[in-house]
């Protein structure tokens, strides 16, 4: 009796990186983690419901990496993406912009459908993969 050889496994397609950072965003995240009162492993990025357009981005200090976090390492810093936000953030570039009136992280997101006039909230669609 001849034993059939196992079918070779298909090579896995490389997993796309959820987000990337500009140099300005990476520099600002590095500054924030150095100045924090307690140890910070990176910034946690997510999406919450609310605002005129329906959703808004969230950015907060991350003191730990949760098992469900999507970890993005870019330019020497870590971004931890909430698993519920991954499909809405695929392909997003996170930037940091400072001018005379304000300084903030800006998300250049190909999944953004619209934004409210004040820029505080957005409408997002899930990425097509």
């Amino acid at each position: 009796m001849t034993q059939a050889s196992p079918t070779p496994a298909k090579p896995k397609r490389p997993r796309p990186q959820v987000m990337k950072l500009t140099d300005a965003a990476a520099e600002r995240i590095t500054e924030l983690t150095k100045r924090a009162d307690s140890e910070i492993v990176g910034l946690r990025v997510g999406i919450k419901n609310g605002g005129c357009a329906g959703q808004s981005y969230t950015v907060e200090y991350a003191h730990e990496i949760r098992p469900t976090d999507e970890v993005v390492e870019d330019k020497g810093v870590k971004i931890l993406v909430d698993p519920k936000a991954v499909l809405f953030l695929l392909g997003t570039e996170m930037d940091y912009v400072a001018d005379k009136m304000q300084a903030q992280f800006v998300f250049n997101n190909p999944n953004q459908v619209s934004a409210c006039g004040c820029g505080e909230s957005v409408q997002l669609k899930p990425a097509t993969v």
Side-chain angles (χ1 to χ4, degrees), residues 47 57 88-93 107-113 124:
I47 304 288
Y57 298 103
F88 294 99
L89 294 174
L90 274 173
T92 297
E93 179 186 66
F107 296 87
N108 300 312
N109 187 341
N111 307 306
Q112 185 172 311
V113 178
L124 303 171

Side-chain angles (χ1 to χ4, degrees), residues 1-58:
M1 176 175 239
T2 309
Q3 196 173 23
S5 61
T7 311
K10 289 183 179 178
K12 287 188 174 182
R13 185 173 77 180
R15 193 170 178 180
Q17 185 168 311
V18 176
M19 294 176 61
K20 62 182 178 178
L21 302 171
T22 64
D23 291 337
E27 287 172 23
R28 181 62 178 159
I29 293 167
T30 301
E31 288 173 22
L32 290 172
T33 53
K34 285 180 181 175
R35 289 188 353 209
D37 294 341
S38 58
E39 187 171 334
I40 304 296
V41 295
L43 290 185
R44 180 166 283 110
V45 175
I47 304 288
K48 70 177 182 177
N49 290 332
C52 325
Q55 298 163 305
S56 59
Y57 298 103
T58 62

Side-chain angles (χ1 to χ4, degrees), residues 54-106:
Q55 298 163 305
S56 59
Y57 298 103
T58 62
V59 179
E60 61 188 21
Y61 289 127
H63 299 283
E64 71 204 4
I65 298 174
R66 298 176 186 154
T68 56
D69 284 335
E70 180 76 28
V71 180
V72 174
E73 294 188 58
D74 192 14
K75 297 179 175 59
V77 298
K78 285 184 184 168
I79 297 292
L80 309 174
V81 181
D82 181 335
K84 294 176 279 195
V86 168
L87 271 178
F88 294 99
L89 294 174
L90 274 173
T92 297
E93 179 186 66
M94 185 174 173
D95 194 7
Y96 181 74
V97 178
D99 60 27
K100 291 179 183 179
M101 298 297 285
Q102 62 186 353
Q104 64 183 350
F105 287 107
V106 175

